[in-house]
Amino acid sequence: MFTFTPQAAQKLKQIIQERGGNLALSIAADPEVTGGAWRLTLVPRRPSTAVVSGVPVEADAEALRLLDGTIIDWVMTPDGPGLGIYDQNLVDNDPRRRGRF
C-alpha cells in the first residue's frame, strides 16, 4: 500500500475540485525503466475508483505493486511544484520520479 502526505492529499483534492471535481489521479508505471518511470495524470473518475488518503486514485495492479511502501508528497523543485514519489524503504529517500500538474 502507498500513502499521500497530508500536504499532497490536500493539494490534489484542491486541484481536482478546481477542475470540476469528478476526476481521479491516474498512476501508471513503466517497470522497464531503471528506478521506475511514473506517469501521473488526471482522468475522469469511475464508480470503481479507489480512494487513498482522501484522494481518488486509478492504478493498475503493476503500478500498485511498484508503489507498495511509497509515500507521495507535494514538493517544490527548480522546475516548480509537483508530486514526488518516495520509497520509504530507501535509506536516502531519493525521489524515483516527479509528476507535474
Side-chain angles (χ1 to χ4, degrees):
M1 185 60 159
F2 71 97
T3 61
F4 292 95
T5 63
Q7 182 180 4
Q10 178 183 7
K11 187 63 176 174
L12 283 167
K13 289 187 281 187
Q14 176 187 346
I15 291 169
I16 288 169
Q17 285 305 310
E18 289 172 356
R19 296 187 182 187
N22 195 31
L23 298 171
L25 178 66
S26 172
I27 305 174
D30 183 352
E32 299 299 318
V33 177
T34 303
W38 298 100
R39 186 175 62 245
L40 307 171
T41 58
L42 293 176
V43 297
R45 185 175 182 167
R46 299 182 299 173
S48 61
T49 298
V51 177
V52 178
S53 303
V55 177
V57 175
E58 296 280 340
D60 63 22
E62 181 64 12
L64 291 173
R65 184 185 70 77
L66 292 170
L67 283 168
D68 190 36
T70 62
I71 298 171
I72 300 177
D73 195 8
W74 188 256
V75 296
M76 292 299 295
T77 71
D79 295 329
L83 294 170
I85 299 177
Y86 300 90
D87 187 338
Q88 53 189 342
N89 299 313
L90 295 176
V91 175
D92 57 3
N93 216 16
D94 283 340
R96 290 193 202 174
R97 177 85 172 161
R98 178 180 44 81
R100 288 181 33 118
F101 291 99

